[in-house]
Amino acid sequence: DAGVIQSPRHEVTEMGQEVTLRCKPISGHDYLFWYRQTMMRGLELLIYFNNNVPIDDSGMPEDRFSAKMPNASFSTLKIQPSEPRDSAVYFCASGKTILEAFFGQGTRLTVV
Amino acid sequence: DQQVKQNSPSLSVQEGRISILNCDYTNSMFDYFLWYKKYPAEGPTFLISISSIKDKNEDGRFTVFLNKSAKHLSLHIVPSQPGDSAVYFCAARWAGNQFYFGTGTSLTVIP
């Protein structure tokens, strides 16, 4: 398996634009996680899914953020509208259990 | 408020010596703790974990110690190797399946 695949690897967008980050988890993994990494706050769990169902989204910073998992092989994290403070590296991870996740390489988002 | 804290942003150790990475937490309800390692431009990789009912877990060169009374977690790497140079994150799970991560400690192992 190729591992968790995220796209794009880098995204630069203007403030106010919509941004969509994509993730393909490892086949057979029932859990999918979205994380955000910043210098100030480190790594934060935003939301996770179990069998395509969102279980806990309490880490989502505000209503501008939304995540979907329409099927077992695809998930998106959307920010609309984007703001400069959203600039961070966003990681997607998947796992067979909730405790041991395999991470993608991340998407570096820059909002100018 | 940070519920999981890694107070040392960086650590340098000579090759062959012991690396000790520390992590403090505030919530006594955490029931599981994990360590992740992250190389530049890559996602974090799971390293080792420990349940709150244990005080030690060992896997090869890596040992995690848990001191519940002090709410303190540490990762020992013995012997340290240059390939261990990375950022290490500790994480804790609350029983409600919410995860909290520290801000990371950058370890440099000097050959």
Side-chain angles (χ1 to χ4, degrees):
Chain A
D1 200 313
V4 175
I5 299 173
Q6 290 185 246
S7 64
R9 290 294 309 277
H10 302 274
E11 176 79 36
V12 180
T13 190
E14 291 185 346
M15 181 174 63
Q17 296 296 307
E18 176 181 298
V19 175
T20 299
L21 311 181
R22 296 172 176 79
C23 176
K24 182 182 188 303
I26 295 172
S27 176
H29 284 185
D30 293 332
Y31 288 88
L32 184 138
F33 311 84
W34 281 101
Y35 292 88
R36 176 173 69 175
Q37 183 184 13
T38 61
M39 289 293 291
M40 290 299 295
R41 300 176 65 87
L43 201 59
E44 303 171 275
L45 176 64
L46 301 177
I47 183 172
Y48 76 91
F49 296 81
N50 180 215
N51 292 323
N52 313 339
V53 176
I55 302 300
D56 190 333
D57 65 354
S58 58
M60 297 284 261
E62 46 195 282
D63 292 344
R64 297 184 297 106
F65 287 70
S66 63
K68 294 182 179 179
M69 191 166 186
N71 56 63
S73 59
F74 183 66
S75 177
T76 60
L77 178 68
K78 185 178 293 186
I79 309 172
Q80 165 64 16
S82 58
E83 297 182 4
R85 61 194 168 113
D86 301 331
S87 297
V89 180
Y90 291 81
F91 288 102
C92 175
S94 70
K96 290 184 178 180
T97 74
I98 196 172
L99 292 173
E100 298 171 353
F102 292 81
F103 284 72
Q105 291 186 295
T107 295
R108 181 174 295 279
L109 172 66
T110 304
V111 183
V112 298
Chain B
D1 186 29
Q2 273 309 100
Q3 296 208 38
V4 176
K5 296 181 181 179
Q6 293 177 257
N7 293 317
S8 297
S10 62
L11 174 69
S12 291
V13 173
Q14 285 291 134
E15 181 178 2
R17 299 288 185 100
I18 183 171
S19 294
I20 300 176
L21 298 115
N22 294 305
C23 182
D24 296 298
Y25 61 94
T26 58
N27 189 344
S28 59
M29 297 298 289
F30 288 140
D31 66 344
Y32 213 85
F33 302 88
L34 308 91
W35 283 95
Y36 288 86
K37 179 170 72 172
K38 183 184 179 302
Y39 292 118
E42 294 184 12
T45 304
F46 169 75
L47 194 58
I48 192 170
S49 63
I50 187 169
S51 165
S52 62
I53 63 173
K54 295 185 176 181
D55 54 20
K56 178 182 175 181
N57 188 25
E58 191 172 351
D59 183 3
R61 296 185 297 113
F62 301 90
T63 303
V64 57
F65 294 93
L66 177 61
N67 183 333
K68 289 185 287 294
S69 61
K71 295 191 178 68
H72 180 79
L73 186 71
S74 64
L75 174 67
H76 293 210
I77 306 173
V78 183
S80 302
Q81 299 174 352
D84 297 329
S85 297
V87 177
Y88 289 79
F89 291 94
C90 68
R93 185 184 80 161
W94 180 66
N97 281 342
Q98 180 61 265
F99 288 82
Y100 298 88
F101 284 79
T103 51
T105 296
S106 178
L107 173 66
T108 301
V109 180
I110 304 165

